[in-house]
């Protein structure tokens, strides 16, 4: 019950009684404060601030590959659009009785039934479980950064105690996200694991973090509107909008333009799991397994390096991992963009930076190598990379609302190059920009944001591409 405490005191306000009086600006004094007993707050899921790290050193895996049951077909067939979706006149008029005042007919989950915040299908469970694996690694990664890099290194990069507090707060956000998803999954929800990150300095850590939060955010966008449990989707939406802010923060820490696209890209679950799983070292023996595919890794030999003034003029400047994380090893002081004082070149942490020399551009040759399938990855090395695609033929540039193909040239074994296409989402918005996805395929399949998973059977390998 609320308790009201009176703080009555003589008024300090003198009223103006003139015939024509103007408003009198005043600083009001509190007359009454309202206090209330705290409501019962649900407990957060138990977490470990920083888990152990390193490669998997346990016994040989007894289970290899994704979770599976009977498979009905090698791929989902393509059908024409459902007819009813073409019939609504969309003329701004109402075409059915209102179920209640000021309420248009239609919508899902709008019939007044009580919401149920639990998964409703295998698709829901496997998708939310993937999201939970992502929340757990982000919680660990943010704590790992604070525990690994001394204050002096943060400050040398221009990141103050307030920036470190922001990183700590983002870790606390992950506690909430992990709790939410665990509660919607139930007692078999995945728990924290141990992780194996590349050997990184602080700048490389920031680049890795902004790439990891990109596939975490985009992975949810890809399945959010396909969930059977729309109530679950609502809560997930309210967490992924926070994740989106985290990705932008890491771009700002890296001295990149914070949001260089008009639309954020969504990707299939198997793409997100492909990029996430290699960084999970081991999980408890009874950990919930996932159904999603692990594709072979794609390596961009001239991956743009945001640590350079000319980030496009590079060769083999990554850590060699799935995410193509930047390496600063070969960046001289003269080429290091944090040392420049020139506007358009300096890339120290900031609210925004606008690079004079783009990281990538239409017409750029992009040199690629990809791994063969059959490698063990993921928790306890118990997942296996695989592909059902034919011989590689195209690079698919997946960004914003677009999937744009460019042919692979000079294919030799598991290597080739391609040329970045010149394409825009809408006029004035080059679609290939930001932290995006590059995929090797065996064909040019027409897909759109809502059915991008149709491409999975034809994917040879994939990675992150730092286009801007």
């Amino acid at each position: 019950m609320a308790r009201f405490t009176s703080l009555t005191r003589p008024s300090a306000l003198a009223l103006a009684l003139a015939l024509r009086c103007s408003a009198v600006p005043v600083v009001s004094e509190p007359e009454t404060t309202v206090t209330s007993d705290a409501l019962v707050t649900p407990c957060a899921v138990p977490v470990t601030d920083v888990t152990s790290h390193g490669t998997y050193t346990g016994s040989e895996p007894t289970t290899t590959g994704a979770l599976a049951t009977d498979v009905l077909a090698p791929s989902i067939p393509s059908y024409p659009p459902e007819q009813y979706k073409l019939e609504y006149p969309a003329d701004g008029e109402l075409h059915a009785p209102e179920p209640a005042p000021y309420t248009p007919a239609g919508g899902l989950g709008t019939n007044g039934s009580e919401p149920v915040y639990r998964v409703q299908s295998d698709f829901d469970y496997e998708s939310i479980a993937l999201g939970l694996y992502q929340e757990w690694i982000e919680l660990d990664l943010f704590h790992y950064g604070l525990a690994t890099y001394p204050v002096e290194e943060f400050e040398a990069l221009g990141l103050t105690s307030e920036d470190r507090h922001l990183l700590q707060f983002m870790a606390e956000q992950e506690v909430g996200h992990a709790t939410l998803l665990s509660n919607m999954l139930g007692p078999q929800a995945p728990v924290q694991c141990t992780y194996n990150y590349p050997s990184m300095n602080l700048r490389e850590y920031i680049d890795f973090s902004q790439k990891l939060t990109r596939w975490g955010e985009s992975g949810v966008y890809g399945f959010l509107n396909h969930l059977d449990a729309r109530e679950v989707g609502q809560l997930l939406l309210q967490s992924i909008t926070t994740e989106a802010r985290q990705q932008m923060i890491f771009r700002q820490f890296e001295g990149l333009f914070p949001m260089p696209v008009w639309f954020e890209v969504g990707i299939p679950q198997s793409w997100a799991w492909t990029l996430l799983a290699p960084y999970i070292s081991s999980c408890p023996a009874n950990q919930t397994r996932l159904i999603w595919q692990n594709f072979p890794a794609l390596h961009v030999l001239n991956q743009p390096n945001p640590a350079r003034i000319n980030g496009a003029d590079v060769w083999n400047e990554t850590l060699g991992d799935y995410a193509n994380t930047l390496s600063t090893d070969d960046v001289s002081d003269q080429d290091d963009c944090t040392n420049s004082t020139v506007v358009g070149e300096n890339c120290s942490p900031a609210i925004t930076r606008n690079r004079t020399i783009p990281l990538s551009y239409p017409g750029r040759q992009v040199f690629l190598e990809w791994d063969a399938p059959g490698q063990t990855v993921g928790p306890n090395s118990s997942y296996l990379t695989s592909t059902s695609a034919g011989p590689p033929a195209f690079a698919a540039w997946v960004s914003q609302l677009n999937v744009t193909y460019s042919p692979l040239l000079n294919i030799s074994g598991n290597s080739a190059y391609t040329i970045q296409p010149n394409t825009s989402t809408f006029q004035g918005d080059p679609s290939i920009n930001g932290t995006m996805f590059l995929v090797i395929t065996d064909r040019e399949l027409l897909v759109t944001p809502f059915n991008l998973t149709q491409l999975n059977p034809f994917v040879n390998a994939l990675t992150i591409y730092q286009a801007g």
Side-chain angles (χ1 to χ4, degrees):
M1 179 179 295
R3 299 192 298 270
F4 298 89
T5 305
S6 175
L7 292 179
T8 305
R9 58 181 64 186
S11 174
L13 176 60
L15 298 179
L17 299 178
L19 184 61
R20 293 184 178 180
C21 61
S22 302
V24 180
V26 296
V27 178
S28 62
E29 293 285 345
E31 298 291 331
T32 303
T33 60
V34 179
T35 62
S36 62
D37 294 329
L39 300 175
V40 176
T41 302
C43 294
V45 67
V47 301
T48 301
D49 282 351
V50 177
T51 69
S52 59
H53 299 89
T55 58
Y56 175 66
T57 57
S59 58
E60 288 295 318
T62 56
T63 303
T64 301
L67 191 68
T69 58
D70 294 335
V71 179
L72 300 180
S75 63
I76 303 295
S78 297
Y79 298 105
E82 296 166 291
Q83 185 60 33
Y84 79 92
K85 294 182 179 179
L86 306 175
E87 295 173 352
Y88 181 72
D91 57 6
E93 300 295 328
L94 297 177
H95 299 277
E98 299 172 62
Y102 311 106
T103 305
L108 299 177
T110 60
N111 62 0
S113 59
E114 181 180 349
V116 177
Y117 295 99
R118 67 187 301 275
V119 292
Q120 300 295 324
S121 64
D122 290 348
F123 183 92
D124 287 2
Y125 195 100
E126 294 296 317
S127 299
I128 300 302
L130 169 64
L132 183 52
Y133 270 98
Q134 180 75 25
E135 306 294 2
W136 282 131
I137 197 173
E138 289 175 349
L139 170 65
D140 179 82
L141 180 64
F142 302 164
H143 280 149
Y144 173 86
L146 292 168
T148 301
Y149 306 104
V151 170
E152 299 77 35
E153 290 188 26
F154 279 96
E155 292 182 344
L157 194 57
L159 296 171
T160 68
S161 60
E162 292 173 299
D163 299 308
R164 296 191 299 277
H165 179 74
L166 175 57
L167 184 55
Q168 172 60 36
F169 184 74
M170 290 195 292
E172 293 165 7
Q173 290 174 324
E174 299 308 330
V175 176
H177 298 168
T179 301
L180 175 71
L181 300 192
S182 296
N183 289 345
M184 292 191 294
L185 287 171
Q188 298 305 313
V191 298
Q192 275 186 292
C193 300
T194 63
Y195 303 96
N196 184 31
Y197 306 129
S199 177
M200 303 177 284
N201 61 35
L202 179 56
R203 291 180 71 185
E204 294 162 349
Y205 164 83
I206 291 171
D207 184 69
F208 176 70
S209 297
Q210 72 92 359
K211 289 183 166 73
L212 182 139
T213 49
R214 160 51 57 225
W215 75 66
E217 177 189 348
S218 293
V220 170
Y221 292 154
F223 71 73
L224 186 60
N225 283 308
H226 293 288
L227 292 171
D228 291 292
R230 302 187 73 81
E231 302 96 324
V232 171
Q234 177 64 42
L235 297 190
L236 185 58
L237 173 66
Q238 292 177 241
S239 67
I240 203 61
T241 50
T242 301
E243 302 273 353
R245 290 162 170 81
Q246 293 176 351
Q247 206 275 334
M248 190 174 78
I249 289 296
F250 282 116
R251 288 185 63 89
Q252 291 172 314
F253 281 0
E254 195 169 356
L256 292 168
F257 192 80
M259 44 180 182
V261 291
W262 290 9
F263 305 92
E264 299 300 344
V265 63
I267 60 171
Q269 296 96 321
S270 289
W271 298 18
W273 181 235
T274 292
L275 292 163
L276 168 60
Y279 301 104
I280 304 175
S281 176
S282 63
C283 295
N286 61 347
Q287 177 79 306
T288 298
R289 297 183 63 79
L290 296 182
I291 191 175
W292 309 116
Q293 187 172 4
N294 298 89
F295 292 105
L298 173 62
H299 306 282
V300 182
L301 301 183
N302 60 338
Q303 169 83 334
N305 189 343
R308 282 187 173 274
I309 292 175
N310 185 352
D313 185 16
V314 294
W315 188 259
N316 271 344
E317 290 190 359
T318 73
L319 299 182
D321 59 324
Y322 260 70
N324 282 281
T325 305
L326 73 80
S327 170
T328 61
D329 286 350
D330 296 325
V331 181
S332 66
D333 290 344
Q334 181 179 357
D335 294 327
D336 188 333
C337 54
T338 60
N339 293 331
S340 176
T341 59
V342 178
V343 175
E345 291 184 356
N346 182 265
C347 67
S348 298
I351 293 174
T352 186
R353 296 287 186 191
N354 193 14
R355 300 180 75 109
T356 302
I357 304 174
L359 291 178
S360 195
Y361 46 84
R364 183 176 191 253
Q365 289 182 305
V366 178
F367 294 88
L368 306 169
E369 284 185 352
W370 52 92
D371 292 350
Q375 299 188 22
T376 56
V377 294
N380 310 326
S381 295
S382 63
Y383 290 79
L384 196 69
T385 62
S386 66
T387 175
S388 59
F394 295 93
W397 304 76
V398 185
S399 178
Q400 303 198 62
L401 309 180
N402 298 62
V403 177
T404 305
Y405 296 89
S406 60
L408 294 180
L409 304 171
N410 195 30
I411 301 173
S412 176
N414 282 17
S415 67
Y417 77 89
T418 193
I419 297 175
Q420 179 178 324
N422 187 2
T423 182
S424 295
T425 308
F426 294 111
Q427 186 175 5
D429 175 32
S431 61
I432 298 176
N433 208 344
T435 308
M436 53 167 290
F437 300 89
L438 191 58
V439 182
I440 298 299
T441 69
D442 67 359
R443 67 195 65 190
E444 294 179 278
L445 185 70
L446 177 61
V447 287
T448 65
F450 198 68
N451 69 345
L452 189 54
T453 54
Q454 296 284 97
L455 191 58
N456 282 353
F458 315 111
V459 170
N460 300 94
L462 64 90
T463 193
I464 289 274
Y465 185 72
Q466 194 64 57

